[in-house]
Amino acid sequence: MRIGVMGGTFDPIHHGHLVAASEVAHEFSLDTVIFVPTGRPWQKAHRGVSEAEDRYLMTVVATAADPRFTVSRVDVDRPGPTYTADTLRDLSVALGPDAELFFITGADALADILGWDRTDEVVALAHLIGVTRPGHALVDPGFAPGRVTLIEVPALAISSSDVRRRVADGAPISYLVPAGVESYIAKRALYREESGDISSQGI
Ligand code: NAP
């Protein structure tokens, strides 16, 4: 089984993420893509990140209609900061030796992973695919030749930060995120304030 592992904060998930997963699934002949929302992103102290449960549920709503996509709670449920080495190790144990893993994430985030924590373990556990938006240079991090691929995905012109900003400004987000995610954001009153700690909003 060739399995994509789509890691991201998904605050919120948008159509760029879904197109990127679909493109990579096609390019790499993946059988399935598991979306893995982060638990507590350790490097995001500079801004409040929405509750993991909200980000997880939005990801479930966004992917529900596509039979190729599933969502894992592996990072949401693991206590402490999220590290990709832990994500891949936990999934690898759960899926067994026949699973070949392809870790997909933003190219910027991938550069961080390769610069930080347990790089050797990450590279040993998965092929790494960095997806990037138009206008961003595709710079190969130079690690692990043959194990890292960078792909430009035009739909990634959509960004989570822009969606959050638009909600805060009262601008429409229709067609940038799936309709169910738009409804969820409204129902939970997410992103009404663009900066500061938004994790305490909602109920
Ligand atoms: P981020 O810094 O919030 O994102 C960096 C850029 O990548 C943003 O432009 C973001 O756009 C984009 N991006 C993030 N995930 C994406 C995805 N799945 N598909 C397409 N674009 C994506 O990164 P993050 O969300 O915190 O982390 C991404 C993944 O890397 C997570 O699985 C995280 O756990 C992992 N990570 C691990 C380490 C480590 O182990 N040391 C360090 C950093 C990140 P949007 O905002 O539009 O998504």
Side-chain angles (χ1 to χ4, degrees):
M1 289 283 279
R2 293 165 68 85
I3 297 180
V5 177
M6 179 79 164
T9 305
F10 302 132
D11 193 18
I13 189 164
H14 52 67
H15 275 129
H17 296 129
L18 297 169
V19 172
S22 176
E23 285 292 300
V24 173
H26 173 71
E27 285 285 321
F28 289 82
S29 304
L30 304 182
D31 296 296
T32 187
V33 177
I34 306 172
F35 284 67
V36 189
T38 56
R40 188 180 314 165
W42 56 269
Q43 66 287 62
K44 287 206 168 55
H46 61 284
R47 78 163 180 91
V49 175
S50 302
E51 296 282 0
E53 206 60 38
D54 281 327
R55 295 182 288 103
Y56 169 77
L57 287 172
M58 287 191 281
T59 307
V60 169
V61 166
T63 55
D66 194 321
R68 297 171 300 172
F69 296 163
T70 59
V71 187
S72 168
R73 295 186 60 91
V74 72
D75 283 354
V76 168
D77 289 343
R78 190 188 318 100
T82 296
Y83 294 106
T84 299
D86 297 329
T87 311
L88 293 172
R89 190 200 53 225
D90 289 354
L91 286 174
S92 172
V93 168
L95 294 165
D98 292 339
E100 189 178 1
L101 301 186
F102 296 75
F103 184 74
I104 311 159
T105 195
D108 297 353
L110 191 59
D112 278 354
I113 297 166
L114 293 175
W116 286 100
D117 202 65
R118 287 174 276 157
T119 301
D120 292 350
E121 202 178 334
V122 170
V123 169
L125 287 167
H127 301 263
L128 305 175
I129 301 167
V131 291
T132 190
R133 41 185 55 107
H136 275 63
L138 293 172
V139 182
D140 192 311
F143 278 86
R147 293 288 277 179
V148 181
T149 307
L150 300 173
I151 297 179
E152 184 176 290
V153 178
L156 279 172
I158 303 170
S159 72
S160 297
S161 57
D162 183 49
V163 171
R164 293 193 301 271
R165 204 174 307 117
R166 292 178 71 86
V167 174
D169 291 346
I173 57 169
S174 304
Y175 313 116
L176 299 176
V177 301
V181 171
E182 184 180 3
S183 303
Y184 189 95
I185 290 169
K187 180 175 166 182
R188 292 279 292 150
L190 301 177
Y191 315 128
R192 297 270 171 95
E193 290 168 30
E194 213 262 301
S195 58
D197 184 3
I198 52 177
S199 62
S200 59
Q201 287 192 357
I203 293 170

